[in-house]
Amino acid sequence: MRPARRDTPRTLPARLLTGLAALIGLVVVGALCPGAALAQSPAARSAGVPSAGAQAAGLHIGDGRLLEGNGNDFVMRGVNHAHTWYPGETQSLADVKALGANSVRVVLSDGHRWSENGPADVAAVIEQCKANRLICVLEVHDTTGYAEDAAAGTLDHAADYWIGLKDVLAGQEDYVIVNIGNEPWGNTDPAGWTEPTVAAVKKLRAAGLQHTIMVDAPNWGQDWQGVMRANARSVYDADPTGNLIFSIHMYSVFDTAQEITDYLNAFVDAELPILIGEFGGPADQYGDPDEDTMMATAEQLRLGYLAWSWSGNTDPVLDLALDFDPSRLSGWGERIFHGVNGIAQTSEEATVYGDGAPDDTEAPTAPGAPSATAVTDSSVTLGWVAATDDTAVSGYDVVLVGDGTSSTVASSTTTTATVTGLTAATTYTFAVHARDAAGNRSARSATVEVTTDGGGTPGGACSVGYRVVGEWPGGFQGEIAVRNTGSAAIGPWTLAFAFADGQTVTNMWGGTATQDAGAVNVAPASYTATIPAGGTVTLGFTARKGDTNTAPAAFRLNGAACATP
């Protein structure tokens, strides 16, 4: 979404403004496909059972994480560099390394739209990355906005380019990740992204490339229609080696904390590897990206991020360094390199450039079983006995346990944490993991069951409007408008309804949905927890469906029936 060349458009086409403006503050996301993850479970990893990805040489995927060849967790902290348009700026790699980066994403061309970066040039880039002790993500930029931008190339053409570089790439698996194509689909029929992405992955593997493959999202990288999220499992399964990582690009579509955390946590919970392959911070005409949450969440979840971009942008507001001069960092550059959760503070060099052994491979002991205090209808505070470690425990993750799975719901650097956004009069099971600075995670603690209070103000004076915003084979997007028709505020609240045709909610914004068969209960988000008198809160969601998609017949707010206009 952020081409760097000065004669290349930086933003989405103007004719998309109307549709995009309606999405400010709202990421329309799909659902990760169900089914058991191919990635190895944390329990299996702690027991020493090798994953499929761990058999690969060099950088690979295990347990939904990017790992080095020696099994060390590798978290990218770096920037994008527009090499194909500025081939003379070879000092840039040394400059970003000097500022603390451990990786760089290098813009290349396969010759479809710009001058091709040939084998000798690509080999030189790889050697420069290695000389500067950087992990190198190589990407083809010609695919940007395919199906909407007539000048864009195909993923198939990009795959042929990578195959043509097979001899250059061979033996570089420890140092190089292949990003097949940048933002390889625009906003025109983004569902078309999935099939060519799968085909490109299979083509590279059939040709013998063993590197970790990175795939970018459609919608100019921002996946605001949820196509990558909905199809992530099938794309991942298409890689027989299991060494594939997804890349989301976060710009003005991602302007609220919930959008960012919802998207990244969905992949982490499913043990599907992801990083923020591009992101911006400065506001533009589409909105103001929430870079603080992007960086904080990436650090909390130990996910990689690569800021856009070093220098040479069409709009210099996105230049990290002015005129490629590392002594002249912009405000954006200062934020990325020296700010909270920035590169200088969080970057760790790849161990492949050291002695080949990770600094710390021993996981902490399991924390004590958590105990609950301060239970309300929507939150609980948990405390536990500290874990121990051979170096030091750096933090704890509180997980919600159920149906044989667990998902992180809170993190803390102390032995207490508060979990919010819970549903009244509901029983939850929680446990805790400890982690150290090297990313080693302990076994799970014993669990505790907590039943939230049954508080909340009564409903009854309410009406609910329900509509289907859009449908596609196997899924749809819906909207629920809950109006308080009474004279007193309602909150906190729970909304109950039922689907009759097997529909299953896969993601929701404005609230959190839990579902048992067809019955759905919704708890509010923090910003929708109170419905003022005469006011309305709107919930959006995506769901799976079959051939029939009948609307719910009735809605109950805090147990009382609502009118359905």
Side-chain angles (χ1 to χ4, degrees), residues 261 498 514:
T261 57
T514 56

Side-chain angles (χ1 to χ4, degrees), residues 505-525:
V505 175
T506 53
N507 186 68
M508 178 171 283
W509 47 101
T512 301
T514 56
Q515 186 166 349
D516 182 7
V520 180
N521 284 278
V522 179

Side-chain angles (χ1 to χ4, degrees), residues 145-311:
Y146 181 79
E148 185 169 352
D149 187 338
T154 65
L155 279 171
D156 187 64
H157 189 269
D160 287 339
Y161 171 74
W162 295 119
I163 293 169
L165 292 172
K166 183 178 177 181
D167 291 343
V168 170
L169 297 172
Q172 304 299 331
E173 291 85 356
D174 277 312
Y175 310 96
V176 172
I177 291 174
V178 174
N179 189 178
I180 306 178
N182 182 69
E183 301 177 2
W185 212 275
N187 291 326
T188 302
D189 186 27
W193 166 91
T194 305
E195 184 176 345
T197 300
V198 166
V201 170
K202 290 182 175 179
K203 190 171 192 176
L204 292 183
R205 294 307 188 209
L209 269 73
Q210 295 299 311
H211 304 71
T212 294
I213 289 174
M214 184 181 295
V215 296
D216 284 8
N219 294 130
W220 301 84
Q222 296 197 78
D223 200 30
W224 58 262
Q225 290 176 289
V227 172
M228 185 171 83
R229 182 170 173 175
N231 293 280
R233 175 61 59 195
S234 61
V235 173
Y236 185 85
D237 289 351
D239 183 357
T241 74
N243 293 316
L244 181 146
I245 188 168
F246 295 95
S247 174
I248 182 68
H249 292 184
M250 290 186 166
Y251 292 99
S252 52
V253 165
F254 290 91
D255 59 356
T256 69
Q258 184 171 6
E259 293 161 349
I260 295 161
T261 57
D262 282 356
Y263 196 93
L264 296 177
N265 272 294
F267 280 77
V268 171
D269 291 346
E271 292 192 357
L272 286 168
I274 192 168
L275 85 161
I276 307 174
E278 287 185 19
F279 69 105
D284 59 23
Q285 67 267 42
Y286 303 107
D288 187 1
D290 184 0
E291 71 275 14
D292 291 341
T293 298
M294 297 175 200
M295 297 167 71
T297 305
E299 179 62 12
Q300 175 195 347
L301 299 175
R302 291 189 60 76
L303 303 179
Y305 67 64
L306 299 166
W308 188 274
S309 83
W310 178 239
S311 200

Side-chain angles (χ1 to χ4, degrees), residues 394-552:
S394 61
Y396 298 89
D397 297 320
V398 177
V399 294
L400 177 64
V401 181
D403 297 327
T405 64
S406 64
S407 58
T408 301
V409 291
S411 294
S412 175
T413 56
T414 69
T415 56
T416 63
T418 299
V419 183
T420 59
L422 305 178
T423 302
T426 302
T427 299
Y428 295 90
T429 302
F430 298 103
V432 184
H433 292 273
R435 50 183 161 78
D436 61 23
N440 300 307
R441 200 182 196 201
S442 76
R444 198 175 75 193
S445 73
T447 61
V448 62
E449 283 194 353
V450 180
T451 301
T452 52
D453 293 343
T457 53
C462 56
S463 66
V464 174
Y466 176 94
R467 71 185 183 102
V468 173
V469 176
E471 293 189 68
W472 53 91
F476 72 101
Q477 179 190 337
E479 180 181 277
I480 304 171
V482 185
R483 179 172 175 79
N484 178 0
T485 58
S487 58
I490 298 175
W493 51 264
T494 58
L495 180 71
F497 60 93
F499 284 121
D501 301 318
Q503 301 99 319
T504 304
V505 175
T506 53
N507 186 68
M508 178 171 283
W509 47 101
T512 301
T514 56
Q515 186 166 349
D516 182 7
V520 180
N521 284 278
V522 179
S526 58
Y527 56 90
T528 60
T530 299
I531 312 174
T536 300
V537 297
T538 301
L539 312 172
F541 67 93
T542 54
R544 291 189 293 270
K545 70 174 183 68
D547 295 334
T548 306
N549 189 19
T550 306

Side-chain angles (χ1 to χ4, degrees), residues 37-187:
L38 289 184
Q40 185 188 33
S41 70
R45 185 178 176 192
S46 64
V49 180
S51 65
Q55 306 307 307
L59 291 159
H60 62 278
I61 303 300
D63 300 340
R65 308 283 305 165
L66 177 63
L67 307 175
E68 293 189 68
N70 58 18
N72 197 57
D73 207 40
F74 182 68
V75 180
M76 289 192 198
R77 290 288 182 265
V79 304
N80 287 262
H81 171 54
H83 172 75
T84 197
W85 303 307
Y86 301 100
E89 297 293 342
T90 55
Q91 178 63 27
S92 295
L93 299 185
D95 292 338
V96 299
K97 176 62 179 182
L99 287 164
N102 65 12
S103 46
V104 63
R105 182 170 178 257
V106 180
V107 177
L108 300 176
S109 172
D110 64 3
H112 176 85
R113 186 169 185 176
W114 297 287
S115 298
E116 179 180 338
N117 296 99
D121 186 30
V122 175
V125 167
I126 294 172
E127 290 309 308
Q128 289 162 6
C129 284
K130 292 166 67 176
N132 288 291
R133 302 168 73 91
L134 293 164
I135 296 301
C136 202
V137 179
L138 302 177
E139 63 101 344
V140 163
H141 216 77
D142 306 65
T143 57
T144 306
Y146 181 79
E148 185 169 352
D149 187 338
T154 65
L155 279 171
D156 187 64
H157 189 269
D160 287 339
Y161 171 74
W162 295 119
I163 293 169
L165 292 172
K166 183 178 177 181
D167 291 343
V168 170
L169 297 172
Q172 304 299 331
E173 291 85 356
D174 277 312
Y175 310 96
V176 172
I177 291 174
V178 174
N179 189 178
I180 306 178
N182 182 69
E183 301 177 2
W185 212 275
N187 291 326

